[in-house]
Amino acid sequence: MACSMISSATVAAVREDQQRHYLSCKQRWKSAMHAGVAPLGLKKFETLSYLPPLSTEQLAKEVDYLLSKNLIPCLEFELEHGFVYREHNRSPGYYDGRYWTMWKLPMFGCNDSSQVLKELEECKKAYPSAFIRIIGFDNKRQVQIISFIAYKPAGV
């Protein structure tokens, strides 16, 4: 029966490589923090939130995609928080901020992204300090398929 043993020199070399990698990561983290790119305290809101704000043309393409998949677009807004948080209950699985206020009704029969963008602009005018997201519903399965932030208030 063959027995494989690792020499202490090999173990030491592996540990040294791990330590070097750890220090390299730590240095990159520190340099990122000094450059103002530290991820601490940055909120991720919804799908696509890691990207820079979408232009009007990019939003139109996203809405066109929703419409091409036969999803029903809808706008929702939130005045205080644009993210899921815990405030009222600490039990597992409970989060505040999951449900937002719907802007008007879902856009049944909508066939053009310009209609959705027009409603988005109206919502921005009515609630300039609100987070606004576009969601897509599947009316056959009766579920929300996609949701992404279309507008964040200034300073967020």
Side-chain angles (χ1 to χ4, degrees):
M1 183 171 197
C3 179
S4 65
M5 294 184 61
I6 300 175
S7 70
S8 60
T10 305
V11 171
V14 169
R15 285 188 181 148
E16 187 177 320
D17 281 345
Q18 290 174 340
Q19 183 68 18
R20 209 171 323 142
H21 176 71
Y22 170 75
L23 291 174
S24 173
C25 290
K26 194 172 179 181
Q27 288 167 350
R28 279 184 272 164
W29 177 269
K30 283 183 180 179
S31 65
M33 287 179 62
H34 290 303
V37 190
L40 298 175
L42 295 179
K43 298 284 185 190
K44 296 300 179 204
F45 297 94
E46 295 274 345
T47 308
L48 310 177
S49 68
Y50 54 89
L51 295 173
L54 298 174
S55 67
T56 304
E57 294 81 24
Q58 291 168 325
L59 282 172
K61 286 181 182 179
E62 292 296 327
V63 173
D64 286 335
Y65 175 78
L66 292 177
L67 296 172
S68 73
K69 297 295 180 188
N70 295 320
L71 300 177
I72 298 169
C74 182
L75 295 178
E76 291 183 333
F77 65 94
E78 170 65 34
L79 296 172
E80 294 178 24
H81 305 282
F83 50 88
V84 174
Y85 61 96
R86 286 185 147 187
E87 183 178 344
H88 300 296
N89 195 326
R90 299 290 181 222
S91 64
Y94 176 86
Y95 295 97
D96 296 303
R98 288 185 292 183
Y99 303 107
W100 292 18
T101 305
M102 188 179 294
W103 171 258
K104 297 185 179 178
L105 293 173
M107 296 177 211
F108 298 104
C110 176
N111 55 12
D112 186 21
S113 60
S114 64
Q115 296 168 324
V116 177
L117 296 179
K118 181 181 164 226
E119 289 297 324
L120 176 64
E121 290 303 317
E122 286 183 28
C123 189
K124 282 186 203 178
K125 286 179 190 172
Y127 299 101
S129 63
F131 294 87
I132 305 171
R133 67 183 175 189
I134 297 174
I135 56 178
F137 283 108
D138 184 338
N139 67 340
K140 291 182 177 69
R141 293 189 289 171
Q142 298 185 1
V143 294
Q144 178 180 321
I145 300 295
I146 190 167
S147 169
F148 61 93
I149 297 287
Y151 174 76
K152 287 187 254 183
V156 177

